[in-house]
Amino acid sequence: MNTKYTLPQNLPVIDRLITQSMISDYSKVSNDFNPIHLDSTFAMKAGFDTTIAHGMMALSYISEMMTSAFDTKWATTGKLKVKFRSPVLSGESIETYGELLRTSHDDNLNKAFYKVGINNKNGGLVITGEATICY
Amino acid sequence: MNPFSSNQNLPLILSESQYKIDSDLVTMYSTSIKCEPFPFTGFSSQYKNTIPPMAILTLSLRDLVSKLKLPHGTLHTGQEVEFINPANLNSVLSCTTTLLQNTVRKSIRVLIIKLSVEDENKIPILTGKTTLFTS
């Protein structure tokens, strides 16, 4: 067991203002041109105040938080399981959170389990879930 | 292939694609989410060409998004991902997506799709599971 590695209790917060320009760029990267992300009139007909960001785009910030905390351990041992609770609207600010839940030692692997997620500026849940790394 | 038919034998392979992740694609991804420009200065030299893991996931789903032609208004409600090995810039990756579940509950179709990504040496890079709610 690696006893030298100190796990952070709380993970660094990543915050972003999600703009329509970012959402439009992400549409090109993901090849997802659903008008709910690009056309505010369509999005309003679907029941939103304006366009919404792709769920995977928001999820990127949890991965950025995990990379920031664990460097390449995240890219080599990370696991993530999340639910998308509510959409991120264009023009909305979001921030990530991550808090150590527990650790385990199974099959010669030290594992750390973190409660992770994203809230919007009003404290509303955007993404909730759990991330695991081996250390 | 009609992923929206309920008369399928599951699991059903939806897409098999190969793609090279070059610096242009990674830069497009990094720009869209406004994260640190690639390559990351924080990574040790051994990993300086490691592609951000969420970029791999995003780019791996491009082909599926194109092929499925999901109805506008489809919701991405859940995502699981396990990062197994890092992938380096200019890797040629293969992604297979498989429909695991296709059920209708109260007029909402629930699709659960597994994806597996490996590199040109058949080394697994990541696996994941995507849950979609569609009409």
Side-chain angles (χ1 to χ4, degrees):
Chain A
M1 185 187 292
N2 178 2
T3 55
K4 291 179 182 173
Y5 192 80
T6 304
L7 292 168
Q9 185 66 35
N10 294 293
L11 303 182
V13 173
I14 305 290
D15 54 16
R16 288 288 191 291
L17 168 66
I18 304 299
T19 65
Q20 185 56 51
S21 166
M22 293 162 72
I23 297 171
S24 300
D25 285 348
Y26 191 86
S27 287
K28 294 171 195 160
V29 177
S30 62
N31 228 9
D32 181 350
F33 298 99
N34 186 333
I36 208 161
H37 305 303
L38 302 166
D39 179 347
S40 58
T41 305
F42 182 93
M44 283 190 272
K45 281 181 186 166
F48 301 105
D49 289 342
T50 184
T51 52
I52 62 172
H54 307 71
M56 292 285 283
M57 179 182 178
L59 191 58
S60 296
Y61 299 112
I62 292 181
S63 188
E64 188 177 339
M65 171 180 70
M66 297 303 291
T67 299
S68 175
F70 300 108
D71 201 338
T72 48
K73 279 190 181 66
W74 177 240
T76 53
T77 73
K79 284 187 192 177
L80 186 60
K81 183 175 183 178
V82 298
K83 286 187 176 173
F84 297 101
R85 300 289 183 179
S86 60
V88 179
L89 301 175
S90 170
E92 199 166 46
S93 293
I94 57 170
E95 65 178 27
T96 64
Y97 63 84
E99 179 188 341
L100 182 62
L101 287 175
R102 64 188 187 279
T103 59
S104 72
H105 182 72
D106 302 312
D107 303 324
N108 285 325
L109 286 175
N110 292 320
K111 292 183 182 174
F113 299 81
Y114 282 84
K115 177 184 174 183
V116 297
I118 293 180
N119 291 335
N120 63 26
K121 203 175 180 180
N122 301 321
L125 299 176
V126 171
I127 295 176
T128 59
E130 188 173 290
T132 310
I133 63 139
C134 298
Y135 64 100
Chain B
M1 175 197 67
N2 176 8
F4 305 113
S5 164
S6 294
N7 301 315
Q8 300 156 326
N9 291 319
L10 301 179
L12 173 71
I13 292 178
L14 296 175
S15 66
E16 290 177 298
S17 57
Q18 270 202 336
Y19 50 92
K20 181 178 178 179
I21 300 189
D22 58 21
S23 61
D24 287 347
L25 272 176
V26 178
T27 299
M28 270 176 73
Y29 170 81
S30 302
T31 303
S32 71
I33 65 163
K34 297 217 182 310
C35 74
E36 185 185 346
F38 186 80
F40 302 129
T41 52
F43 281 5
S44 57
S45 58
Q46 181 190 355
Y47 291 107
K48 70 177 180 182
N49 283 320
T50 298
I51 302 165
M54 279 300 292
I56 300 172
L57 183 58
T58 298
L59 297 168
S60 297
L61 287 171
R62 282 168 64 108
D63 188 54
L64 176 69
V65 169
S66 306
K67 282 189 177 160
L68 273 188
K69 295 186 171 53
L70 292 164
H72 297 154
T74 297
L75 294 174
H76 187 176
T77 59
Q79 183 66 49
E80 295 176 31
V81 61
E82 177 177 2
F83 302 118
I84 304 165
N85 285 294
N88 287 329
L89 198 62
N90 296 320
S91 295
V92 177
L93 302 181
S94 301
C95 177
T96 303
T97 60
T98 308
L99 185 61
L100 296 181
Q101 183 183 318
N102 178 2
T103 52
V104 177
R105 294 180 204 156
K106 295 180 180 175
S107 77
I108 296 174
R109 186 172 295 279
V110 180
L111 302 174
I112 298 182
I113 297 166
K114 177 188 169 191
L115 75 152
S116 305
V117 178
E118 59 184 25
D119 70 9
E120 55 266 67
N121 299 313
K122 306 290 182 197
I123 293 172
I125 302 298
L126 66 79
T127 61
K129 206 183 278 186
T130 299
T131 304
L132 301 173
F133 284 7
T134 187
S135 51

